[in-house]
Amino acid sequence: MAEKEKRILVGMSGGIDSSSVCIMLQEQGYEVVGVTMRTWDIPSHFSVPGQEQPDDVLEAQALAARLGIEHHVADVRKEFKDVIVRYFIDEYMRGRTPNPCVMCNPLFKERILCEWADRTGCAWIATGHYCRLEDINGNRYIVTGDDPAKDQSYFLWKLPQEILKRMLFPLGGMTKAEVRQYLASKGFEAKAKGGESMEICFIDKDYREFLKEHCPDIDERIGPGWFVDSKGLKLGQHKGFAYYTVGQRKGLEIALGKPMYVLKINPNKNTVMLGDAEQLKTEYMLVEDVNAVDMDELLSCRNLSVRIRYRSRPIPCRIARVDDSHLLVKFLGEASAITPGQSAVFYENNRVLGGGFIAFQQGVKKLAEICQFSM
């Protein structure tokens, strides 16, 4: 390999996965350069009073020193707040349930990794995501990782080709247990026994408390509203639509004699519709802001399935194009709790063909009557 071709930038969190990636790539002959992003400080990230850097930065620095690799810290707290945290708050204020990890990868983390790769003369970028890559007809596709319990392909559907073609995912063919075993075998026994990172890295409590903290006037802007049934009948008051999400059953603080779920949220009227589990089921779903590796391939796929939330099973489906940015999905299996703001990710077997965000579902039945679905 040419000198630049041997240099690879690794996004280092100081944890099990990125640490293993660094060691693997060194063994494969790469010159590893590490960068750790300081995105958001919360008290649990600091073990010692007066500590200047959070634990993940210190752990990454220690690993880099032990491996003898170049390491950088990117302090991107302001940008993270302006882009990802603002998106998170804005989505709840719109009556939607955000997917911060989906937005963070293309808009933030991988973009910053690309910038640092260029700055440090690295041809390649690697992360500890549990997924694989496959090249077909000049396109690069994300493929599910071999560990179904850790597969992270769902979060990466928005990554553009220009980034994917620079990336490596060394852990995609391994299980988490195998990664832990590998790390221990390299003399990092204590780290190999470490815990998992939080699902949403900037929240260490209930998201409702986070909204109140970072949007202090939320109760003035929204205020109490009405729980209603599917016919519009008022059932009782709620605290404000931003505090609820479709499919929610616990924490409604209303007694109606049987388990009730959030069916729909109407931010314009500040109403939250409740119903039973059967009413959560649906045959159709509208998806917006669609991104596909090859739109013609997605539209013509005969073996298509869709995941509507992380860790959910793929549901066989058919799709119809509504316009340039919207697809109507017809489920061929049971689907429930369609949640606006979450991602719908389309697969052919284990290969990601594209994805989009679940839209508000008004008018879906009328669209179903006029759309022509793929056969």
Side-chain angles (χ1 to χ4, degrees):
M1 289 188 287
E3 185 174 343
K4 182 177 179 180
E5 289 290 309
K6 293 174 65 175
R7 282 175 67 85
I8 186 166
L9 186 78
V10 177
M12 293 179 65
S13 68
I16 296 167
D17 300 328
S18 62
S19 299
S20 299
V21 166
C22 289
I23 299 169
M24 288 178 190
L25 292 172
Q26 265 198 333
E27 290 183 333
Q28 293 170 21
Y30 286 96
E31 182 183 354
V32 176
V33 178
V35 63
T36 303
M37 297 181 208
R38 185 173 180 180
T39 56
W40 191 262
D41 292 345
I42 56 178
S44 60
H45 292 169
F46 297 80
S47 298
V48 180
Q51 185 175 311
E52 293 187 3
Q53 296 272 22
D55 292 342
D56 59 342
V57 171
L58 297 180
E59 289 183 24
Q61 288 175 331
L63 179 79
R66 182 167 169 182
L67 297 179
I69 66 176
E70 180 182 334
H71 180 264
H72 304 272
V73 178
D75 189 340
V76 289
R77 285 175 288 179
K78 183 181 185 303
E79 299 112 294
F80 187 83
K81 181 178 181 179
D82 292 345
V83 177
I84 303 304
V85 175
R86 173 46 52 195
Y87 152 78
F88 181 84
I89 294 171
D90 286 349
E91 282 290 88
Y92 275 113
M93 297 297 282
R94 293 175 62 198
R96 294 157 59 97
T97 303
N99 246 164
C101 294
V102 167
M103 294 300 285
C104 189
N105 282 300
L107 287 182
F108 199 78
K109 287 187 176 178
E110 266 66 19
R111 176 181 61 80
I112 290 171
L113 287 176
C114 281
E115 292 172 1
W116 275 90
D118 293 339
R119 189 181 305 176
T120 56
C122 294
W124 303 99
I125 299 164
T127 67
H129 286 100
Y130 284 80
C131 56
R132 295 180 290 117
L133 294 166
E134 186 175 314
D135 293 319
I136 302 174
N137 298 327
N139 288 322
R140 177 159 285 189
Y141 292 84
I142 296 166
V143 179
T144 57
D146 284 1
D147 187 342
K150 291 295 297 179
D151 169 54
Q152 292 168 301
S153 60
Y154 174 85
F155 294 117
L156 301 176
W157 63 267
K158 277 185 72 67
L159 284 180
Q161 287 291 301
E162 59 266 26
I163 291 180
L164 281 176
K165 289 181 177 180
R166 295 185 71 176
M167 296 206 71
L168 298 177
F169 297 126
L171 306 186
M174 303 175 71
T175 65
K176 185 73 176 194
E178 289 170 341
V179 172
R180 289 182 184 274
Q181 186 177 12
Y182 170 82
L183 194 57
S185 73
K186 299 301 175 180
F188 294 85
E189 293 89 350
K191 185 172 288 293
K193 295 176 182 177
E196 297 286 0
S197 58
M198 295 181 295
E199 200 158 295
I200 300 180
C201 64
F202 55 91
I203 294 182
D204 62 349
K205 49 193 170 186
D206 187 273
Y207 85 87
R208 298 163 186 86
E209 294 179 42
F210 185 88
L211 289 179
K212 287 183 177 181
E213 181 181 347
H214 295 278
C215 190
D217 63 344
I218 185 171
D219 291 331
E220 296 174 16
R221 290 169 59 183
I222 296 178
W226 291 102
F227 285 122
V228 298
D229 64 14
S230 57
K231 296 179 181 179
L233 180 67
K234 293 178 180 177
L235 303 174
Q237 276 202 320
H238 63 66
K239 296 179 178 179
F241 68 80
Y243 298 131
Y244 305 91
T245 186
V246 171
Q248 179 180 339
R249 179 175 69 86
K250 296 181 179 179
L252 299 178
E253 298 181 0
I254 184 172
L256 296 170
K258 61 178 180 179
M260 297 291 273
Y261 300 80
V262 174
L263 303 182
K264 292 180 181 179
I265 294 170
N266 187 327
N268 296 323
K269 296 182 179 179
N270 194 12
T271 57
V272 176
M273 185 185 294
L274 302 182
D276 58 31
E278 193 65 27
Q279 290 175 284
L280 274 176
K281 297 177 183 178
T282 185
E283 187 180 358
Y284 299 99
M285 171 180 68
L286 184 64
V287 178
E288 62 188 0
D289 298 330
V290 176
N291 176 62
V293 178
D294 182 326
M295 184 59 76
D296 290 337
E297 178 187 30
L298 175 61
L299 291 170
S300 62
C301 182
R302 299 292 183 266
N303 185 29
L304 193 66
S305 61
V306 63
R307 287 167 68 179
I308 58 175
R309 60 184 62 89
Y310 182 45
R311 299 190 189 282
S312 70
R313 60 181 178 82
I315 305 170
C317 67
R318 297 286 183 265
I319 58 175
R321 193 169 194 169
V322 178
D323 55 37
D324 287 344
S325 62
H326 290 80
L327 294 176
L328 187 64
V329 178
K330 180 179 181 179
F331 296 109
L332 303 182
E334 184 176 298
S336 181
I338 304 303
T339 309
Q342 290 288 288
S343 288
V345 184
F346 298 100
Y347 293 79
E348 181 183 34
N349 297 319
N350 61 351
R351 184 163 57 105
V352 176
L353 299 187
F357 290 107
I358 298 173
F360 286 115
Q361 301 297 300
Q362 285 86 345
V364 163
K365 290 183 179 179
K366 288 184 179 180
L367 282 173
E369 294 173 0
I370 61 176
C371 284
Q372 298 293 315
F373 289 92
S374 56
M375 299 300 291

mmCIF file of all heavy atoms in Angstrom, residues 94-127:
data_model
loop_
_atom_site.group_PDB
_atom_site.id
_atom_site.type_symbol
_atom_site.label_atom_id
_atom_site.label_comp_id
_atom_site.label_asym_id
_atom_site.label_seq_id
_atom_site.Cartn_x
_atom_site.Cartn_y
_atom_site.Cartn_z
ATOM 1 N N ARG A 94 -42.496 18.954 17.542
ATOM 2 C CA ARG A 94 -43.349 18.768 16.361
ATOM 3 C C ARG A 94 -44.303 17.583 16.525
ATOM 4 O O ARG A 94 -45.058 17.264 15.619
ATOM 5 C CB ARG A 94 -42.492 18.529 15.113
ATOM 6 C CG ARG A 94 -41.648 19.706 14.673
ATOM 7 C CD ARG A 94 -40.757 19.309 13.513
ATOM 8 N NE ARG A 94 -41.536 18.892 12.345
ATOM 9 C CZ ARG A 94 -41.037 18.182 11.336
ATOM 10 N NH1 ARG A 94 -39.764 17.785 11.360
ATOM 11 N NH2 ARG A 94 -41.790 17.855 10.305
ATOM 12 N N GLY A 95 -44.226 16.907 17.678
ATOM 13 C CA GLY A 95 -45.077 15.750 17.899
ATOM 14 C C GLY A 95 -44.529 14.481 17.304
ATOM 15 O O GLY A 95 -45.267 13.507 17.092
ATOM 16 N N ARG A 96 -43.225 14.452 17.041
ATOM 17 C CA ARG A 96 -42.573 13.279 16.460
ATOM 18 C C ARG A 96 -41.586 12.691 17.466
ATOM 19 O O ARG A 96 -41.218 13.342 18.442
ATOM 20 C CB ARG A 96 -41.849 13.661 15.170
ATOM 21 C CG ARG A 96 -42.788 14.093 14.053
ATOM 22 C CD ARG A 96 -42.090 14.959 13.027
ATOM 23 N NE ARG A 96 -40.955 14.313 12.392
ATOM 24 C CZ ARG A 96 -40.992 13.692 11.211
ATOM 25 N NH1 ARG A 96 -42.133 13.618 10.535
ATOM 26 N NH2 ARG A 96 -39.911 13.145 10.693
ATOM 27 N N THR A 97 -41.144 11.450 17.207
ATOM 28 C CA THR A 97 -40.171 10.781 18.076
ATOM 29 C C THR A 97 -38.852 10.693 17.328
ATOM 30 O O THR A 97 -38.761 9.983 16.325
ATOM 31 C CB THR A 97 -40.656 9.384 18.468
ATOM 32 O OG1 THR A 97 -41.930 9.493 19.111
ATOM 33 C CG2 THR A 97 -39.670 8.715 19.415
ATOM 34 N N PRO A 98 -37.824 11.409 17.760
ATOM 35 C CA PRO A 98 -36.584 11.508 16.973
ATOM 36 C C PRO A 98 -35.737 10.242 16.986
ATOM 37 O O PRO A 98 -35.856 9.397 17.872
ATOM 38 C CB PRO A 98 -35.845 12.660 17.650
ATOM 39 C CG PRO A 98 -36.344 12.646 19.061
ATOM 40 C CD PRO A 98 -37.783 12.226 18.976
ATOM 41 N N ASN A 99 -34.871 10.165 15.984
ATOM 42 C CA ASN A 99 -33.865 9.108 15.839
ATOM 43 C C ASN A 99 -32.480 9.764 15.873
ATOM 44 O O ASN A 99 -31.848 9.944 14.836
ATOM 45 C CB ASN A 99 -34.041 8.419 14.489
ATOM 46 C CG ASN A 99 -34.472 6.973 14.588
ATOM 47 O OD1 ASN A 99 -34.913 6.416 13.610
ATOM 48 N ND2 ASN A 99 -34.354 6.344 15.749
ATOM 49 N N PRO A 100 -31.997 10.197 17.038
ATOM 50 C CA PRO A 100 -30.752 10.979 17.059
ATOM 51 C C PRO A 100 -29.547 10.249 16.483
ATOM 52 O O PRO A 100 -28.694 10.872 15.843
ATOM 53 C CB PRO A 100 -30.562 11.318 18.541
ATOM 54 C CG PRO A 100 -31.423 10.350 19.286
ATOM 55 C CD PRO A 100 -32.576 10.040 18.386
ATOM 56 N N CYS A 101 -29.457 8.927 16.689
ATOM 57 C CA CYS A 101 -28.295 8.192 16.168
ATOM 58 C C CYS A 101 -28.294 8.166 14.646
ATOM 59 O O CYS A 101 -27.234 8.217 14.012
ATOM 60 C CB CYS A 101 -28.270 6.771 16.722
ATOM 61 S SG CYS A 101 -27.999 6.696 18.506
ATOM 62 N N VAL A 102 -29.479 8.075 14.037
ATOM 63 C CA VAL A 102 -29.572 8.084 12.579
ATOM 64 C C VAL A 102 -29.092 9.413 12.029
ATOM 65 O O VAL A 102 -28.376 9.479 11.026
ATOM 66 C CB VAL A 102 -31.021 7.795 12.132
ATOM 67 C CG1 VAL A 102 -31.204 8.105 10.649
ATOM 68 C CG2 VAL A 102 -31.371 6.335 12.395
ATOM 69 N N MET A 103 -29.479 10.506 12.664
ATOM 70 C CA MET A 103 -29.067 11.827 12.200
ATOM 71 C C MET A 103 -27.603 12.116 12.530
ATOM 72 O O MET A 103 -26.909 12.787 11.775
ATOM 73 C CB MET A 103 -29.957 12.901 12.824
ATOM 74 C CG MET A 103 -31.395 12.836 12.356
ATOM 75 S SD MET A 103 -31.582 13.050 10.575
ATOM 76 C CE MET A 103 -31.305 14.811 10.441
ATOM 77 N N CYS A 104 -27.134 11.590 13.638
ATOM 78 C CA CYS A 104 -25.777 11.889 14.090
ATOM 79 C C CYS A 104 -24.730 11.306 13.144
ATOM 80 O O CYS A 104 -23.703 11.935 12.880
ATOM 81 C CB CYS A 104 -25.570 11.343 15.504
ATOM 82 S SG CYS A 104 -24.020 11.876 16.271
ATOM 83 N N ASN A 105 -24.995 10.116 12.609
ATOM 84 C CA ASN A 105 -23.979 9.470 11.769
ATOM 85 C C ASN A 105 -23.664 10.271 10.503
ATOM 86 O O ASN A 105 -22.510 10.634 10.281
ATOM 87 C CB ASN A 105 -24.388 8.035 11.456
ATOM 88 C CG ASN A 105 -24.133 7.108 12.631
ATOM 89 O OD1 ASN A 105 -23.008 6.962 13.075
ATOM 90 N ND2 ASN A 105 -25.176 6.509 13.169
ATOM 91 N N PRO A 106 -24.640 10.604 9.649
ATOM 92 C CA PRO A 106 -24.275 11.336 8.429
ATOM 93 C C PRO A 106 -24.023 12.824 8.642
ATOM 94 O O PRO A 106 -23.149 13.409 8.004
ATOM 95 C CB PRO A 106 -25.479 11.118 7.507
ATOM 96 C CG PRO A 106 -26.628 10.949 8.447
ATOM 97 C CD PRO A 106 -26.062 10.223 9.643
ATOM 98 N N LEU A 107 -24.815 13.446 9.536
ATOM 99 C CA LEU A 107 -24.720 14.891 9.706
ATOM 100 C C LEU A 107 -23.576 15.312 10.609
ATOM 101 O O LEU A 107 -23.135 16.451 10.561
ATOM 102 C CB LEU A 107 -26.025 15.441 10.291
ATOM 103 C CG LEU A 107 -27.236 15.495 9.361
ATOM 104 C CD1 LEU A 107 -28.412 16.116 10.089
ATOM 105 C CD2 LEU A 107 -26.926 16.279 8.101
ATOM 106 N N PHE A 108 -23.091 14.371 11.418
ATOM 107 C CA PHE A 108 -22.151 14.791 12.446
ATOM 108 C C PHE A 108 -20.910 13.907 12.512
ATOM 109 O O PHE A 108 -19.848 14.282 12.022
ATOM 110 C CB PHE A 108 -22.866 14.845 13.793
ATOM 111 C CG PHE A 108 -22.139 15.668 14.803
ATOM 112 C CD1 PHE A 108 -22.210 17.047 14.761
ATOM 113 C CD2 PHE A 108 -21.362 15.080 15.772
ATOM 114 C CE1 PHE A 108 -21.506 17.819 15.670
ATOM 115 C CE2 PHE A 108 -20.665 15.833 16.687
ATOM 116 C CZ PHE A 108 -20.743 17.205 16.636
ATOM 117 N N LYS A 109 -21.048 12.716 13.074
ATOM 118 C CA LYS A 109 -19.850 11.922 13.371
ATOM 119 C C LYS A 109 -19.038 11.568 12.132
ATOM 120 O O LYS A 109 -17.831 11.820 12.083
ATOM 121 C CB LYS A 109 -20.249 10.657 14.135
ATOM 122 C CG LYS A 109 -20.642 10.946 15.577
ATOM 123 C CD LYS A 109 -20.875 9.672 16.358
ATOM 124 C CE LYS A 109 -21.175 9.986 17.825
ATOM 125 N NZ LYS A 109 -21.452 8.763 18.606
ATOM 126 N N GLU A 110 -19.694 10.970 11.120
ATOM 127 C CA GLU A 110 -18.928 10.566 9.948
ATOM 128 C C GLU A 110 -18.427 11.775 9.164
ATOM 129 O O GLU A 110 -17.362 11.738 8.558
ATOM 130 C CB GLU A 110 -19.761 9.638 9.064
ATOM 131 C CG GLU A 110 -19.545 8.146 9.338
ATOM 132 C CD GLU A 110 -20.021 7.723 10.729
ATOM 133 O OE1 GLU A 110 -20.825 8.451 11.346
ATOM 134 O OE2 GLU A 110 -19.594 6.662 11.216
ATOM 135 N N ARG A 111 -19.185 12.861 9.169
ATOM 136 C CA ARG A 111 -18.717 14.084 8.508
ATOM 137 C C ARG A 111 -17.451 14.600 9.179
ATOM 138 O O ARG A 111 -16.473 14.961 8.495
ATOM 139 C CB ARG A 111 -19.815 15.149 8.564
ATOM 140 C CG ARG A 111 -19.377 16.494 7.986
ATOM 141 C CD ARG A 111 -20.484 17.528 8.075
ATOM 142 N NE ARG A 111 -20.908 17.808 9.433
ATOM 143 C CZ ARG A 111 -20.255 18.614 10.270
ATOM 144 N NH1 ARG A 111 -19.112 19.174 9.888
ATOM 145 N NH2 ARG A 111 -20.716 18.837 11.481
ATOM 146 N N ILE A 112 -17.443 14.609 10.507
ATOM 147 C CA ILE A 112 -16.257 15.075 11.232
ATOM 148 C C ILE A 112 -15.093 14.111 11.048
ATOM 149 O O ILE A 112 -13.940 14.531 10.891
ATOM 150 C CB ILE A 112 -16.600 15.281 12.722
ATOM 151 C CG1 ILE A 112 -17.527 16.500 12.858
ATOM 152 C CG2 ILE A 112 -15.344 15.461 13.567
ATOM 153 C CD1 ILE A 112 -18.105 16.690 14.228
ATOM 154 N N LEU A 113 -15.382 12.813 11.022
ATOM 155 C CA LEU A 113 -14.321 11.838 10.774
ATOM 156 C C LEU A 113 -13.691 12.058 9.402
ATOM 157 O O LEU A 113 -12.472 11.953 9.244
ATOM 158 C CB LEU A 113 -14.869 10.412 10.887
ATOM 159 C CG LEU A 113 -15.194 9.920 12.301
ATOM 160 C CD1 LEU A 113 -15.809 8.529 12.253
ATOM 161 C CD2 LEU A 113 -13.956 9.912 13.197
ATOM 162 N N CYS A 114 -14.529 12.365 8.397
ATOM 163 C CA CYS A 114 -13.990 12.653 7.060
ATOM 164 C C CYS A 114 -13.081 13.878 7.091
ATOM 165 O O CYS A 114 -11.999 13.884 6.482
ATOM 166 C CB CYS A 114 -15.131 12.869 6.067
ATOM 167 S SG CYS A 114 -15.900 11.348 5.484
ATOM 168 N N GLU A 115 -13.497 14.912 7.802
ATOM 169 C CA GLU A 115 -12.690 16.120 7.895
ATOM 170 C C GLU A 115 -11.348 15.828 8.560
ATOM 171 O O GLU A 115 -10.291 16.308 8.108
ATOM 172 C CB GLU A 115 -13.448 17.198 8.671
ATOM 173 C CG GLU A 115 -14.667 17.738 7.935
ATOM 174 C CD GLU A 115 -15.520 18.663 8.802
ATOM 175 O OE1 GLU A 115 -15.144 18.887 9.979
ATOM 176 O OE2 GLU A 115 -16.552 19.161 8.312
ATOM 177 N N TRP A 116 -11.380 15.034 9.631
ATOM 178 C CA TRP A 116 -10.140 14.705 10.330
ATOM 179 C C TRP A 116 -9.273 13.747 9.514
ATOM 180 O O TRP A 116 -8.039 13.817 9.573
ATOM 181 C CB TRP A 116 -10.445 14.116 11.709
ATOM 182 C CG TRP A 116 -10.635 15.186 12.737
ATOM 183 C CD1 TRP A 116 -11.803 15.811 13.083
ATOM 184 C CD2 TRP A 116 -9.622 15.788 13.532
ATOM 185 N NE1 TRP A 116 -11.587 16.767 14.046
ATOM 186 C CE2 TRP A 116 -10.255 16.773 14.350
ATOM 187 C CE3 TRP A 116 -8.253 15.603 13.657
ATOM 188 C CZ2 TRP A 116 -9.543 17.559 15.250
ATOM 189 C CZ3 TRP A 116 -7.543 16.393 14.564
ATOM 190 C CH2 TRP A 116 -8.185 17.348 15.347
ATOM 191 N N ALA A 117 -9.893 12.868 8.742
ATOM 192 C CA ALA A 117 -9.122 11.974 7.875
ATOM 193 C C ALA A 117 -8.351 12.793 6.840
ATOM 194 O O ALA A 117 -7.161 12.542 6.584
ATOM 195 C CB ALA A 117 -10.049 10.968 7.193
ATOM 196 N N ASP A 118 -9.023 13.782 6.247
ATOM 197 C CA ASP A 118 -8.346 14.642 5.275
ATOM 198 C C ASP A 118 -7.232 15.437 5.949
ATOM 199 O O ASP A 118 -6.136 15.605 5.394
ATOM 200 C CB ASP A 118 -9.353 15.596 4.626
ATOM 201 C CG ASP A 118 -10.369 14.873 3.747
ATOM 202 O OD1 ASP A 118 -10.081 13.733 3.323
ATOM 203 O OD2 ASP A 118 -11.448 15.443 3.504
ATOM 204 N N ARG A 119 -7.509 15.928 7.145
ATOM 205 C CA ARG A 119 -6.540 16.757 7.865
ATOM 206 C C ARG A 119 -5.296 15.971 8.253
ATOM 207 O O ARG A 119 -4.182 16.521 8.285
ATOM 208 C CB ARG A 119 -7.210 17.327 9.120
ATOM 209 C CG ARG A 119 -6.414 18.381 9.854
ATOM 210 C CD ARG A 119 -7.150 18.860 11.093
ATOM 211 N NE ARG A 119 -8.503 19.345 10.799
ATOM 212 C CZ ARG A 119 -9.367 19.733 11.719
ATOM 213 N NH1 ARG A 119 -9.023 19.717 13.000
ATOM 214 N NH2 ARG A 119 -10.572 20.156 11.374
ATOM 215 N N THR A 120 -5.472 14.687 8.549
ATOM 216 C CA THR A 120 -4.351 13.862 9.023
ATOM 217 C C THR A 120 -3.782 12.952 7.937
ATOM 218 O O THR A 120 -2.946 12.093 8.218
ATOM 219 C CB THR A 120 -4.786 13.005 10.227
ATOM 220 O OG1 THR A 120 -5.941 12.211 9.860
ATOM 221 C CG2 THR A 120 -5.140 13.880 11.421
ATOM 222 N N GLY A 121 -4.243 13.116 6.699
ATOM 223 C CA GLY A 121 -3.682 12.338 5.594
ATOM 224 C C GLY A 121 -4.073 10.877 5.602
ATOM 225 O O GLY A 121 -3.275 10.009 5.207
ATOM 226 N N CYS A 122 -5.306 10.582 6.037
ATOM 227 C CA CYS A 122 -5.778 9.198 6.075
ATOM 228 C C CYS A 122 -6.705 8.917 4.884
ATOM 229 O O CYS A 122 -7.633 9.681 4.613
ATOM 230 C CB CYS A 122 -6.541 8.917 7.366
ATOM 231 S SG CYS A 122 -5.517 9.002 8.854
ATOM 232 N N ALA A 123 -6.455 7.822 4.211
ATOM 233 C CA ALA A 123 -7.310 7.439 3.089
ATOM 234 C C ALA A 123 -8.600 6.803 3.567
ATOM 235 O O ALA A 123 -9.634 6.906 2.899
ATOM 236 C CB ALA A 123 -6.564 6.472 2.172
ATOM 237 N N TRP A 124 -8.543 6.147 4.726
ATOM 238 C CA TRP A 124 -9.668 5.330 5.195
ATOM 239 C C TRP A 124 -10.177 5.795 6.552
ATOM 240 O O TRP A 124 -9.467 6.460 7.300
ATOM 241 C CB TRP A 124 -9.257 3.849 5.288
ATOM 242 C CG TRP A 124 -8.748 3.306 4.002
ATOM 243 C CD1 TRP A 124 -7.441 3.144 3.641
ATOM 244 C CD2 TRP A 124 -9.533 2.892 2.886
ATOM 245 N NE1 TRP A 124 -7.358 2.641 2.373
ATOM 246 C CE2 TRP A 124 -8.639 2.467 1.875
ATOM 247 C CE3 TRP A 124 -10.908 2.826 2.632
ATOM 248 C CZ2 TRP A 124 -9.062 1.988 0.652
ATOM 249 C CZ3 TRP A 124 -11.336 2.340 1.409
ATOM 250 C CH2 TRP A 124 -10.425 1.940 0.435
ATOM 251 N N ILE A 125 -11.412 5.379 6.845
ATOM 252 C CA ILE A 125 -12.053 5.664 8.129
ATOM 253 C C ILE A 125 -12.638 4.365 8.647
ATOM 254 O O ILE A 125 -13.260 3.610 7.883
ATOM 255 C CB ILE A 125 -13.185 6.694 7.969
ATOM 256 C CG1 ILE A 125 -12.634 8.021 7.427
ATOM 257 C CG2 ILE A 125 -13.914 6.928 9.287
ATOM 258 C CD1 ILE A 125 -13.714 8.934 6.894
ATOM 259 N N ALA A 126 -12.462 4.093 9.931
ATOM 260 C CA ALA A 126 -13.024 2.881 10.524
ATOM 261 C C ALA A 126 -13.750 3.213 11.817
ATOM 262 O O ALA A 126 -13.356 4.125 12.542
ATOM 263 C CB ALA A 126 -11.926 1.851 10.797
ATOM 264 N N THR A 127 -14.816 2.488 12.080
ATOM 265 C CA THR A 127 -15.559 2.620 13.333
ATOM 266 C C THR A 127 -15.872 1.228 13.870
ATOM 267 O O THR A 127 -15.683 0.220 13.190
ATOM 268 C CB THR A 127 -16.879 3.402 13.138
ATOM 269 O OG1 THR A 127 -17.765 2.629 12.319
ATOM 270 C CG2 THR A 127 -16.630 4.748 12.504
#
